[in-house]
Every structure is written in structure tokens, then in C-alpha cells.
Amino acid sequence: MEILAPAGGPEALRAAVFAGADAVYLGGPAFGARANAKNFSREELAQAVEFCHSRGVRVHVTVNILLKDQELEEALDFVRFLCRLPVDAVLVQDVGLFSLLRERAPQLPLHASTQMSLHTPQGVKLLWELGASRVVLARELSLEEIREIRQACPVELESFVHGALCMSVSGQCYFSALLGGRSGNRGSCAQPCRLPFAAPGGTGHDLSLKDLSFVKELGQLEQAGVCSAKIEGRMKRPEYVAAAVSACRRAAQGEAVPPQLLEDLQAVFSRSGFTKGYLTGERGASMFGVRRKEDVTGATEKVFSSLRGLYRGELARVPLSLTLTQEKGEILLQARDQEGREAVARGPVSEERAPLPRQRCIQQLEKTGGTPFYAAAVEAPEAGVPCGVSALNALRREALEQLLALRQEREPYPWREKSLGFAPHPRREGPLPLRAQFRQVEQLCPQAKACREIVLPLETELSRLEELGRQGWGPLLLDIPRALFGTENRTAQKIEQCIAAGFDQFLCGNLGAVALVRALGGTAHGSFSLNVTNTASLDFLQDLGLASGEVSFELTARETARLGGTLPRGLMVYGRQALMLVRNCPLANSPKGCLHCRKPGCLTDRKRKKFPVVCRDGESAEVLNSVPLWLGDLEKELLSLDFGVARFTVENSVECGRVLDALFRGETPDFDYTRGLFHRGVE
């Protein structure tokens, strides 16, 4: 397996490479999901690529945040620079940028970031068909679910094996954005989940998971079809990087990982120890943990000093053959690597000296310490060569330096220049049409009949849908769960049944759902969690065949109004915004475990604010904001939209009706509400 290490800065990069990483991932001066890491300037990136390539280490650069229209040109210019270096892959979250790069740099390997929330066979297959060479899997998958994905398509699969676990599915967390304006989807997460949030009977830190460690079980991941073992930690110290790489390298080679190394790895950073995460298929209270005093004090200078020894010197990792010959009064030393690169050093014959014996020549040439090379084969004349040891050493140094420089040279990826040139979107005339989305059918109210569309859960019984159709409710859209872990086949069967009964319009909150609807012949509409923040993403959805798309609620009024393209678009104008999508419910962090809630539970923060938690069919849950969003009285700021979305979660039927009445009249409500990010935006 490839051992893929984080490099938050030059020192961590050196630690990763010298400790034995096969590849590193790092960020440039912008557009990376770890904005607070040291990261690399363009000059440092060029140096990093040369350093890594000369040692046979691949470099993956993160351009994995959601982008706004005004940032696309700069992001494209940055990737154009990466193509010239060239890097070995670029990690991308934004589907708009993904599509633009496939047009402009068709040979550049693109990796679908874990921020794309890919966790189903058909979702992964869709990205592979669109041109992704690798998919970084969602961290919530089990080994069995990874096997199912492996069987669906031949794309490379990358999985996290060590490091921090987010409570939310990556790419589906808006907690930091909505509470503090720092977007996790933009690389600026403030980690509010590590603060006290209390569930009934919980520990008081019920949004905080232990760190993952699946190091000793790397063989199981490889058998499941994973080709790259990824270590989390671009914000971590070099000693942490070296320890994790060293442990993973031993495990990948089938060696026993020294107990002391595992102890040091836990000492340098952990949260109440480690968990094997979702990979084992087990969830519940055992996965929760926080940074305790003993977790902090375990990271002593003695531990750090020991771990620095793992990367104090070069790791001899590049095999080469050395051939020593004598011809026409010169001594020639040829150095050749496995890829066929060849360097030749030349020196004069020393007539005054007796020939240095063949075996002594070989011994000297094998001394490649302090370089990344080791001599896999050495040839020398039977009669030796007439030169001194120091002269032979100089030839060896010169040949290896030449070969090191040759290994830095790579052909750049071709780049196709193309103007963005987005078509402007026409402004709407007349009142804002509404799409009313209900968590359960019992919330339906008479006012919903005046809405342009009604959205109900896919799980709604077919007989009830048919009854609503006969009563004139509709048009009806069926909301596919945002989390489809291990349930793709069951979901596909339900979609097929609905289409056969005449219900062929579906709301899709992830790319896996889009792939299913496309394959089964239904019509897909995009929900907010597809994270549309630019015109290129709207065009991407339109090219996939979607009939409409909901744009991200992380956009401001001005940013929303500037979106171009022709795909009909909407925005949430009422509802408790989803702060997190979770597979391990925070309400399960209690001695009773999962409570199988029939009605919404809640979390309480340190300011005594209540955050509802809504379960979806026992498979996932959403943590909702403490107050609902309200944009219903901002008609003039919504003219660029084709529809508004009223999303009902914890309201009863009467409350739903009152909200719709106020929306139709464009009133300011008589309850506490928030404008969300519509005016203040995000970092």
C-alpha cells in the first residue's frame, strides 16, 4: 500500500519523506482545506516537488475548498502552475473546479477529496466516469462497504488510517460557518464541535470523537481494495508525522509495529486514546473522546526527541546500479536508476598508483549513506582501477548528484487555455415560488398546496403518495437520504418502485443519489448539500442532467445574485439549517447507546442553547441550528432565484402553515430567527 503522509510545512515534509512515506499531500498559499497550516509558497512548492521526485516520492496538492466565482480564475492559474512543476495529483472538492480542470488539464490526475462526501458504489463510479483517477473515501465507511465500492469500478481508493475524526461527514459540516463565520468547506474550521455540547445522559462533549488509528490493520484495508493509506495531520508536528509514517510503513510491509512506537504515537497526540472508527462497523459511545490532561502531558520532550531520530537522516529508498569502467585514460562511473535515467562521472587515471582492487572498489561504491540511494548492483573491472579511494568517492558523489538532479525532471502536463465566459442568469419577475420540504408527511398543511413543489421523504409509503396524488397535492419530489452508507441497493429498489408508480422526481443531496436517479431514469434536483458556490458547479449539475439546483447557504446575497448559467436555482429561505450530517449520533453517547428516537432529541451548548437532532431511518442524523433561518421578507435580494426552499424539520402541521402564510406575505416572523450567512458570509 501507498503510505500517504501530511506535510503542513517544509519540516513536516522532510520528516515524512525521511521516515519512509511513498507520497505526501500538502497545500499551497491558498485554496487548501487547512488554511491555518504553514503550507507552501509557490517557490517552496517547486522545491518540495524537486525534493520528493528525486527520492521517488509522489506529491499531491490540495485545492480542495469550495470556490466562489471571483476565485475561479486564480484557482485555475494556481493549478496551471502545478501542471508545470509537475505535481503527481491535485485533490479537489468543488465539482465546478473539477469539471473545469478536466477540460483544461485532461492528463492531470485529479483526486476526489473526502470533502465530496463519496460513500456509495454508484457515487464513486460516477466520479471515476467523469475523470477522477482516485477517490478519497468518506471516513464513515466500514470495510464491507469499501469492498462493495471496490467491486463497482476500478478507480483508486484512498482511505484515512490515522488521525482526527470529524463528527460530521466531511463536506457536510456547516457548524463552524454558521456559528462563527469560519467555513470548514473553505479551510477555516474553528472546531466548535470540540466545545461542550451535552446530550441527555452523555458526557457533555457529545460532538467530539476519538482519533482514528487503524495502523496495525492495514492489511485488512488492502484486502478491501484500498491502495493508499492516508494519515491525517497537516496541522500536526513533524514528530507526529514521522511516527505515523514509520508505524504505517512497517505495517504495510507485514512487519510487527514496535509497541514503543505505538505508545509514542499515542503520546504525541490522541483524544482519550484511539478508536478503530467506522471501519469495523461498530458505532456508539466507545468512539467518543476528548483531549484529557494525560493526553497532553504524555507528549514529553523525551518522546519528541526519540521520534526525531526517525527522520534525522536520509532513508535509502531508491535502488540503482553502478558500473565502474576504464577507457582511454579515464575512469568512468555510470549510475542508473530503475526508470532508466543515467548519469556518468569521469575522472583521470592515476598512473602512479597501483590499481585499487575490485572488491575495494565495490565496497567504496556501496557507501551511499547520506543520499536517498542504495546500490542494488555494482560492477567493477576484475583488475580494479588505478585511482585512490578519495578520487573514487568523489566520482560516486558526482554521479549520484547528477542522478538526483535528473530524477527531478518531469514533463509538464499540457494545459488548454479556455475562457470562463459564464452566461448571465436572468432575474425573476413576480413573487418567489416556494418549494416546501417536509421531514414527515404528517407535517403537511393546506397552505402547502399553493407551493410550486412539495418534497417528502423517499421513505414515505407508496400508498400514501398515491393518495396525495389523487387529492391534488403536488408536484411531489421525493427526498433521497443524504447518507446512503450501505443502503444503496435498498434505496435503488425504492426509487424504482416510485418511478413505476409515476413519481419520478427526486431531490438529491449527494452525488451517489444523483448517480442512482440518472441510472434508473428519474429526474434529479439538487439539494443544498451538493455545495454549489459558483456558476461552474451549476453548469456541472446541468450537464449531469439535473432539472434544478439549490445553492449553498454559505453564499451571501450578492454572491448568490452574481451566479450565472441557465440551470434553475433556489435557496433556503426558511428552516433550521443542518449544522452536521452524522453517522454516529451524538445522542448515542450515553450508557443506553442508541435511543432509536421517534421524535427529535437535542443537544445543549454551554450557553444553554438547544440544537435539535433529527434521525433519518436509523442510518444517519442531522444536528440542526438552534433557531431557524428567515429570508422571507427580503424579496428584493432574492430576485436572482427561481425558487425559495422552506425546509420543515421539527415543526408541526399548524406551525408549518403559519410559516408558509408569512412567507407568502413576505412578513417578518414573530419568533426568533437568524439571517444565517446571507449578509455576513464566511471566510
Side-chain angles (χ1 to χ4, degrees), residues 249-459:
R249 181 166 57 86
R250 286 173 168 81
Q253 293 170 346
E255 303 174 9
V257 184
Q260 186 60 53
L261 179 57
L262 292 174
E263 289 179 19
D264 289 346
L265 182 55
Q266 179 167 332
V268 77
F269 199 94
S270 71
R271 289 183 173 90
S272 307
F274 295 122
T275 175
K276 298 193 184 302
Y278 300 93
L279 290 164
T280 63
E282 299 178 4
R283 304 194 292 274
S286 63
M287 283 186 64
F288 289 82
V290 296
R291 282 282 278 171
R292 308 163 301 180
K293 180 180 179 181
E294 52 266 43
D295 297 324
V296 177
T297 57
T300 63
E301 179 53 35
K302 181 180 179 181
V303 170
F304 286 130
S305 178
S306 173
L307 294 179
R308 289 184 199 113
L310 297 173
Y311 61 97
R312 192 160 284 127
E314 280 271 13
L315 178 69
R317 60 193 303 155
V318 181
L320 79 162
S321 61
L322 294 167
T323 303
L324 186 66
T325 57
Q326 178 183 346
E327 59 182 57
K328 297 180 180 179
E330 281 189 319
I331 298 172
L332 279 66
L333 178 61
Q334 178 193 69
R336 180 191 293 265
D337 66 13
Q338 287 186 319
E339 292 78 30
R341 301 179 189 87
E342 184 178 298
V344 179
R346 302 171 183 270
V349 169
S350 177
E351 299 289 355
E352 299 82 18
R353 288 180 175 273
L356 197 64
R358 176 177 183 271
Q359 194 56 40
R360 181 66 189 277
C361 290
I362 292 174
Q363 290 175 354
Q364 289 304 121
L365 294 178
E366 287 178 336
K367 294 179 179 180
T368 59
T371 78
F373 299 108
Y374 67 91
V378 180
E379 297 180 15
E382 287 290 338
V385 292
C387 74
V389 170
S390 60
L392 187 60
N393 289 343
L395 285 176
R396 183 195 65 226
R397 285 193 298 270
E398 182 183 346
L400 296 189
E401 287 172 0
Q402 287 182 29
L403 188 59
L404 200 66
L406 287 173
R407 289 176 59 83
Q408 297 173 3
E409 299 175 4
R410 303 284 177 93
E411 283 294 321
Y413 299 111
W415 182 271
R416 299 173 181 172
E417 289 295 344
K418 186 176 180 181
S419 173
L420 286 177
F422 297 128
H425 187 70
R427 292 169 72 84
R428 187 193 74 257
E429 295 182 3
L432 181 69
L434 289 180
R435 173 184 289 174
Q437 181 175 348
F438 299 92
R439 186 176 64 87
Q440 53 189 10
V441 71
E442 289 76 16
Q443 292 173 299
L444 280 175
C445 55
Q447 292 89 336
K449 284 192 173 182
C451 293
R452 186 178 84 165
E453 297 155 335
I454 295 172
V455 183
L456 292 173
L458 179 67
E459 304 92 297

Side-chain angles (χ1 to χ4, degrees), residues 147-201:
R147 291 188 192 98
E148 292 176 1
I149 291 172
R150 169 76 290 151
Q151 294 167 5
C153 72
V155 71
E156 293 181 358
L157 300 180
E158 182 176 305
S159 178
F160 283 93
V161 297
H162 188 88
L165 273 180
C166 292
M167 184 69 191
S168 175
V169 176
S170 294
Q172 301 301 309
C173 185
Y174 311 95
F175 218 119
S176 178
L178 284 166
L179 269 63
R182 294 175 57 182
S183 172
N185 281 316
R186 302 262 301 160
S188 298
C189 180
Q191 295 190 323
C193 52
R194 302 298 182 183
L195 297 173
F197 285 88

Side-chain angles (χ1 to χ4, degrees), residues 220-239:
Q220 297 180 35
L221 269 174
E222 187 172 22
Q223 291 170 6
V226 172
C227 72
S228 179
K230 186 170 192 171
I231 300 164
E232 183 277 336
R234 279 195 288 145
M235 303 286 288
K236 302 281 199 331
R237 295 176 59 133
E239 295 90 344

